[in-house]
Amino acid sequence: MDSEMKKRDENQYSPRPNGGSQSTPLKLPFIIGVAGGTASGKTTVCDMIISQLHDQRVVLVNQDAFYRSLTNEQLQKVSEYNFDHPDAFDTELLLSSMQTLRTGRAVSIPNYDFKIHKSVEPARLVNPADVIILEGILVLHDNRVRDTMNMKIFVDTDSDVRLARRIQRDTVERGRNVENVLDQYAKFVKPSFEEFILPSKKHADVIIPRGADNDVAIDLIVQHIRTKLGQHDLCKIYPNVFVIHSTFQIRGMHTLVRDTKTTKHDFVFYADRLIRLVVEHGLGHLPFTEKQITTPTGSVYSGVVFCKRLCGVSVIRSGESMENALRACCKGIKIGKILIHVDGKKGRQLIYEKLPSDIASRNVLLLDPVLASGNSAVKAISVLLSKGVAESNIIFLNLIAAPEGIHTVCSKFPRLKIVTSEWNLC
Ligand SMILES: Nc1ncnc2c1ncn2[C@@H]1O[C@H](COP(=O)(O)OP(=O)(O)O)[C@@H](O)[C@H]1O
Ligand SMILES: Nc1ccn([C@@H]2O[C@H](COP(=O)(O)O)[C@@H](O)[C@H]2O)c(=O)n1
Ligand SMILES: [Mg+2]
């Protein structure tokens, strides 16, 4: 294998089915480079990609953060400094920071202030993520930086539009006046664009004409990233696994629930909110019968009737935390209990069960907030089956499911449904 091929091979993105920890990442993040002239819309395009990938861990790294701070001497003659030349950036620091993130570790990156042309405290802590977007005018210029990327994008916006936006932005946000902006543009920005930035366009895999106005290109990019991430692999392998649609609210709640610093009160509050969502989602998978009714205005509404042969079963004790949400959604629902003990030698042992006597004829919502190895779940499901419940009548509701647990349960009980709010335990 020649060295160029080897380099590319090492950079191949490899999806990791089993999650991973900070110190031992099992999959490399998907790294996207977004280049383009000043004010072409790079940051705006990145924000759009990030917001469409709201259910993924995505971080944005700006090349601007790696601008070298000006010395006092340089500051005296700032109008003679070329911020659009590759030497204006500390590319070594950028490369080492990207390498740290690539290996699944958090990194502190400088916080650059465009008004004073220096890095300021505090630095920004960037956490590892599944997708890392590196954005900046020259991110496609240096081959070492390019080689870290799995996807290279160039935002191609008309130069008059860019100049107009730059005047607007720099006067409002970066403390400049129109005269400064025009001088700098003519002296450095335009010539460096032609010498360094425009030639880097040939390295791009995707060119986005009109930047953020190009919704179609952004949708296609997001789809490609999702495909590469194999985001719903488990849902594809096991069609009976349903992960509720993630939103920033849901990720925010998971962040609070997982944070060691969260107070007990907040933990209970946010866990309850998540449980309620999972329960509501799970109820949507119950069978229903169609029904037409007449509304007060006399029109006919074609609706459905809830399934009545229903019960909950909680796996003691953690499953009991889901009972209130189930009771709040299903008036008067019967809830049975199963207690399983983990015995080192004998494995999972059934210690106690109290189930409705007619459970065999009911649809069962099995409650346990965490699906980890799947062994307790397998035992609980086996108890239900031994009572005559049909496998396809069981919906297993949980908040967090480890891929390992999903594999264990779904391979043994392929007709059962799992509804969860996240399938990841790290
Ligand atoms: N499609 C667009 N339509 C209107 N204004 C835009 C558009 N894209 C970006 N802008 C504005 O132009 C300025 C520069 O955009 P930005 O995304 O910061 O560009 P870059 O990161 O490439 O310098 C910002 O003020 C932004 O709000
Ligand atoms: N102190 C600085 C540093 C950089 N610039 C200009 O910023 C541009 C890059 O940022 P974009 O968001 O526009 O990509 C670049 O063209 C530099 O001229 C500056 O003016 N002052
Ligand atoms: Mg920008």
Side-chain angles (χ1 to χ4, degrees):
M1 199 187 281
D2 69 18
S3 65
E4 182 56 26
M5 287 246 316
K6 185 161 182 291
K7 220 183 293 159
R8 259 189 265 137
D9 201 48
E10 281 165 358
N11 283 331
Q12 285 301 303
Y13 173 77
S14 52
R16 157 189 62 175
N18 292 321
S21 69
Q22 272 215 189
S23 52
T24 54
L26 297 177
K27 88 174 171 191
L28 296 173
F30 189 80
I31 300 181
I32 306 165
V34 180
T38 181
S40 54
K42 299 180 294 296
T43 307
T44 312
V45 163
C46 293
D47 289 344
M48 290 171 76
I49 295 175
I50 292 169
S51 94
Q52 290 198 30
L53 287 172
H54 52 75
D55 48 351
Q56 296 290 327
R57 293 191 309 163
V58 189
V59 291
L60 178 64
V61 176
N62 302 93
Q63 190 184 26
D64 306 339
F66 299 92
Y67 265 120
R68 296 180 195 280
S69 288
L70 295 201
T71 61
N72 288 341
E73 203 182 322
Q74 288 167 324
L75 276 172
Q76 301 290 316
K77 297 183 264 177
V78 68
S79 60
E80 289 168 33
Y81 192 87
N82 185 355
F83 290 102
D84 293 73
H85 192 279
D87 292 346
F89 296 95
D90 184 347
T91 302
E92 301 304 320
L93 182 62
L94 183 149
L95 282 165
S96 69
S97 304
M98 289 302 287
Q99 181 57 16
T100 306
L101 280 174
R102 191 166 178 265
T103 50
R105 287 170 294 143
V107 67
S108 180
I109 64 167
N111 183 1
Y112 187 75
D113 186 332
F114 285 91
K115 289 187 181 150
I116 57 169
H117 315 288
K118 280 183 182 191
S119 300
V120 290
E121 294 297 331
R124 176 184 159 220
L125 184 74
V126 181
N127 285 315
D130 300 318
V131 180
I132 299 170
I133 307 182
L134 174 62
E135 172 258 322
I137 48 174
L138 285 163
V139 296
L140 296 186
H141 168 73
D142 188 311
N143 66 316
R144 295 168 305 160
V145 180
R146 279 200 310 272
D147 284 346
T148 64
M149 297 167 184
N150 302 96
M151 185 185 198
K152 299 184 263 306
I153 297 173
F154 190 93
V155 181
D156 201 5
T157 303
D158 175 81
S159 51
D160 294 345
V161 174
R162 290 194 293 105
L163 175 58
R165 285 184 192 161
R166 170 123 176 188
I167 295 169
Q168 171 82 11
R169 183 194 62 191
D170 285 10
T171 51
V172 175
E173 292 170 24
R174 294 189 181 174
R176 315 288 165 89
N177 62 44
V178 178
E179 203 185 342
N180 299 150
V181 179
L182 292 176
D183 282 352
Q184 187 190 2
Y185 191 84
K187 201 163 166 191
F188 296 122
V189 180
K190 189 170 187 288
S192 292
F193 176 77
E194 278 154 16
E195 187 176 353
F196 304 111
I197 303 171
L198 196 54
S200 75
K201 183 164 128 180
K202 64 174 174 287
H203 300 295
D205 304 307
V206 182
I207 295 167
I208 311 185
R210 307 181 312 283
D213 290 338
N214 196 332
D215 295 337
V216 174
I218 291 164
D219 281 355
L220 288 170
I221 290 165
V222 169
Q223 267 183 40
H224 177 80
I225 298 166
R226 284 190 184 285
T227 308
K228 289 290 170 191
L229 288 173
Q231 189 211 352
H232 291 305
D233 266 358
L234 280 173
C235 303
K236 277 187 206 142
I237 300 168
Y238 301 116
N240 284 342
V241 175
F242 301 92
V243 182
I244 64 176
H245 179 70
S246 180
T247 61
F248 284 126
Q249 276 293 312
I250 291 178
R251 281 184 62 198
M253 288 189 266
H254 271 285
T255 309
L256 282 156
V257 164
R258 287 158 187 257
D259 189 345
T260 48
K261 294 199 194 90
T262 299
T263 61
K264 189 173 159 193
H265 181 268
D266 279 358
F267 177 87
V268 171
F269 180 82
Y270 291 105
D272 278 350
R273 271 187 69 193
L274 278 171
I275 290 168
R276 181 71 183 252
L277 289 173
V278 170
V279 168
E280 288 281 8
H281 196 99
L283 293 172
H285 289 276
L286 289 168
F288 59 87
T289 40
E290 287 179 4
K291 183 180 180 183
Q292 287 198 333
I293 51 108
T294 307
T295 70
T297 58
S299 51
V300 174
Y301 176 79
S302 299
V304 295
V305 185
F306 297 139
C307 157
K308 291 199 179 67
R309 302 291 306 157
L310 184 63
C311 73
V313 171
S314 54
V315 179
I316 302 174
R317 295 184 48 196
S318 54
E320 292 172 313
S321 64
M322 302 175 76
E323 291 180 3
N324 279 347
L326 186 57
R327 285 205 177 89
C329 296
C330 307
K331 228 173 11 172
I333 188 170
K334 283 192 175 180
I335 301 185
K337 312 237 183 214
I338 290 178
L339 174 61
I340 287 154
H341 174 64
V342 185
D343 185 313
K345 283 185 198 136
K346 296 188 195 145
R348 264 52 176 186
Q349 300 290 308
L350 176 67
I351 302 293
Y352 168 81
E353 50 97 334
K354 189 163 183 358
L355 302 167
S357 53
D358 58 352
I359 194 166
S361 60
R362 291 177 184 264
N363 285 277
V364 178
L365 294 160
L366 181 63
L367 313 174
D368 196 351
V370 177
L371 170 59
S373 69
N375 295 329
S376 294
V378 165
K379 184 72 192 170
I381 295 159
S382 306
V383 173
L384 296 178
L385 299 183
S386 73
K387 298 286 173 189
V389 179
E391 190 181 307
S392 54
N393 285 354
I394 302 172
I395 303 177
F396 183 21
L397 304 182
N398 55 71
L399 285 195
I400 306 172
E404 183 195 345
I406 294 181
H407 282 295
T408 306
V409 172
C410 292
S411 1
K412 217 162 166 26
F413 308 111
R415 287 186 293 279
L416 159 150
K417 293 191 179 83
I418 295 182
V419 175
T420 185
S421 62
E422 259 197 5
W423 59 269
N424 180 347
L425 260 194
C426 55

